[in-house]
Amino acid sequence: MADRYLSFTGSAPGRFLTRTLGLPQPVPLRRWTPQRPALDGVLLIRTAGTSALADPLPDDLGLPVAAEAEHPAAVLVDATGVATTGDLARVHAALHPLVRAIATSGRVVVLGAPPSPTDHHQAAVQQALEGFVRSLGKELGRGRTANLVRARSGAAAASTLRFLLSPRSAYVSGQVIGTGDDAPEQLADPECPLAGRTALVTGAARGIGAEVARVLARDGARLVCLDVPGAEEALRATAAALPGGASALALDVTAADAAERIAAALPDGLDVLVHNAGITRDRRLANMPAERWSSVLDVNLTSVLDTTDALLAAGVLRRGGRIVATASIAGIAGNNGQTNYAASKAGIIGLVRSLAPRAAAEHGVTVNAVAPGFIETKMTAAVPLFIREAGRRMNSLAQGGLPVDVAETTAWFASPASAAVNGQVVRVCGQSLLGA
Ligand code: NAD
């Protein structure tokens, strides 16, 4: 659905009026296109004190690095060695002179270290970086974002840094992402990271799922698109539009034999499993019949738990595989009328955090979740006008996200280069004020 306010504020009278009235001033976000795959400008790298990274940052972070620039596209501050409040001042010193000059749709990425369980001074100041980055994200404006990556290894953090420093992360701001130590796989073709891999996306007939399928196919994956039999026509159209011989699987994920049928459709195994199918049946708890409760829990959580368990146990997910589940900011912040939906989406977060280390150790598979905020789809087009307008504006970027924003985040999780990204829940919400 068109965001008329965003178009209006893009015009000269709109800019004047909204500035005069103190209204939100969103700018159109700069997203990835084949013609403009990188941000325009250079990356400045600063180190707050001494880096504590075990190995250096890779040379290629997707942007040319410069020592100085009038309007940098991005600034990366290595704050991994920050261990005292005195050191913290170095983060201020690194960014204070630059922040105003960062280009429209620019990026700030702070690289921190995991907080220490034994050194509470280090833990305090590393946690301080979280408040710092989240506040900066709210201040930046002009489509600029700020995120914190906690890392020990520069090489292992590379895919995450490249994502955050690119137009692919346009609607990701105010996030804290931890990366582990697993060495990344070297990509034969960085333009086609999923070449030779098979991905299955549930709920792929429309909305976010259809876009996830498109972006994973763009990145080289062979797609199996799944949706309910009632949506088979749209599902077939989605699959037919994809390159690489995509197939359609008409199946209700809550069916008793869902995992068996998925496995049967994947005789050569699966590399990327995207649990995207989801429903809402909103009603306040006092008015919610049991059927509304259970249908949402069945689709959004139970089916995800059951198919994940069955596909892992049967070895359908190959080593190096990726599971990406779909949570929601409602599962973090809660939402009036959505006790069922928020419970199901919070459950996804619990699943990801618990399963991730075991899935990696036992199956060589990572498990992460996207938590979308307000994304422009049929689901949100059905929301009453004033609530919809509030949902769009109540985030640091003052606009709704697009399905492609969730899809790009999923593609980053799905990449073979993201072996060190595990157990993460990343909000794609423009730094929504809900649950902030
Ligand atoms: P959508 O309603 O447009 O699409 C959901 C798809 O899932 C539909 O094609 C539907 O047929 C399919 N589906 C539903 N039940 C199914 C079942 N039992 N088996 C197989 N397929 C089934 O929704 P969307 O906006 O694209 O949302 C996609 C996911 O993102 C959902 O999990 C949703 O909860 C989540 N999400 C969306 C938003 C948003 O703003 N749109 C925000 C937060 C989270």
Side-chain angles (χ1 to χ4, degrees), residues 18-414:
T18 49
R19 200 172 35 238
T20 310
L21 296 174
L23 294 171
Q25 294 192 289
V27 301
L29 300 182
R30 168 87 159 72
R31 295 185 166 90
W32 185 93
T33 65
Q35 295 76 29
R36 291 174 77 201
L39 296 173
D40 305 314
V42 301
L43 167 67
L44 303 184
I45 300 181
R46 300 288 186 261
T47 304
T50 313
S51 174
L53 286 173
D55 53 354
L57 288 169
D59 293 334
D60 178 14
L61 289 172
L63 282 173
V65 177
E68 300 295 336
E70 202 178 336
H71 293 295
V75 181
L76 171 64
V77 180
D78 179 349
T80 51
V82 166
T84 66
T85 48
D87 293 343
L88 209 48
R90 298 174 195 266
V91 177
H92 170 271
L95 276 164
H96 167 70
L98 294 175
V99 79
R100 207 171 267 139
I102 296 169
T104 296
S105 285
R107 301 282 188 269
V108 174
V109 176
V110 176
L111 193 57
S116 164
T118 53
D119 176 352
H120 56 283
H121 288 253
Q122 189 270 7
V125 295
Q126 284 296 330
Q127 190 69 32
L129 293 176
E130 193 170 317
F132 170 79
V133 166
R134 291 208 159 120
S135 299
L136 185 58
K138 293 184 179 188
E139 290 178 10
L140 283 171
R142 286 196 280 123
R144 301 178 297 176
T145 66
N147 292 287
L148 173 65
V149 178
R150 291 195 173 125
R152 275 185 289 262
S153 153
S159 86
T160 301
L161 297 176
R162 282 194 197 106
F163 169 67
L164 292 174
L165 293 168
S166 80
R168 298 172 197 264
S169 59
Y171 202 58
V172 176
S173 193
Q175 298 307 290
V176 179
I177 299 165
T179 57
D181 301 324
D182 299 66
E185 195 174 305
Q186 290 307 317
L187 300 174
D189 177 2
E191 300 302 309
C192 226
L194 296 175
R197 310 216 169 203
T198 302
L200 179 129
V201 180
T202 70
R206 67 178 205 189
I208 294 172
E211 193 61 17
V212 170
R214 189 190 67 75
V215 169
L216 297 184
R218 175 203 71 188
D219 284 0
R222 194 185 70 80
L223 260 294
V224 178
C225 302
L226 180 154
D227 211 297
V228 285
E232 191 165 356
E233 202 178 318
L235 181 68
R236 291 200 176 282
T238 302
L242 301 178
S247 60
L249 177 59
L251 173 68
D252 186 327
V253 288
T254 64
D257 62 350
E260 269 168 54
R261 290 188 51 200
I262 292 172
L266 296 159
D268 299 327
L270 180 64
D271 301 293
V272 180
L273 170 59
V274 182
H275 292 292
N276 163 80
I279 59 168
T280 50
R281 296 284 181 273
D282 297 356
R283 210 48 84 77
R284 285 190 176 165
L285 184 61
N287 303 324
M288 187 183 295
E291 184 280 324
R292 278 193 171 236
W293 173 269
S294 58
S295 58
V296 168
L297 267 294
D298 287 350
V299 175
N300 296 4
L301 183 58
T302 312
S303 80
V304 177
L305 286 161
D306 290 351
T307 49
T308 298
D309 287 352
L311 295 177
L312 279 175
V316 173
L317 267 153
R318 283 194 278 255
R319 289 198 81 75
R322 306 277 183 260
I323 298 173
V324 184
T326 307
S328 164
I329 57 166
I332 297 167
N335 211 6
N336 189 342
Q338 290 199 316
T339 51
N340 51 358
Y341 183 75
S344 71
K345 295 302 189 180
I348 291 293
I349 296 172
L351 150 70
V352 164
R353 292 196 176 138
S354 171
L355 179 61
R358 271 174 290 120
E362 293 166 21
H363 304 279
V365 168
T366 64
V367 188
N368 295 288
V370 284
F374 185 97
I375 305 294
E376 306 278 359
T377 64
K378 281 197 175 147
M379 196 186 252
T380 47
V383 172
L385 177 69
F386 287 109
I387 300 177
R388 188 167 70 230
E389 208 32 41
R392 277 181 174 147
R393 302 304 153 221
M394 281 174 60
N395 59 74
S396 297
L397 300 170
Q399 59 195 286
L402 300 180
V404 72
D405 299 320
V406 182
E408 294 285 14
T409 306
T410 303
W412 153 61
F413 280 142

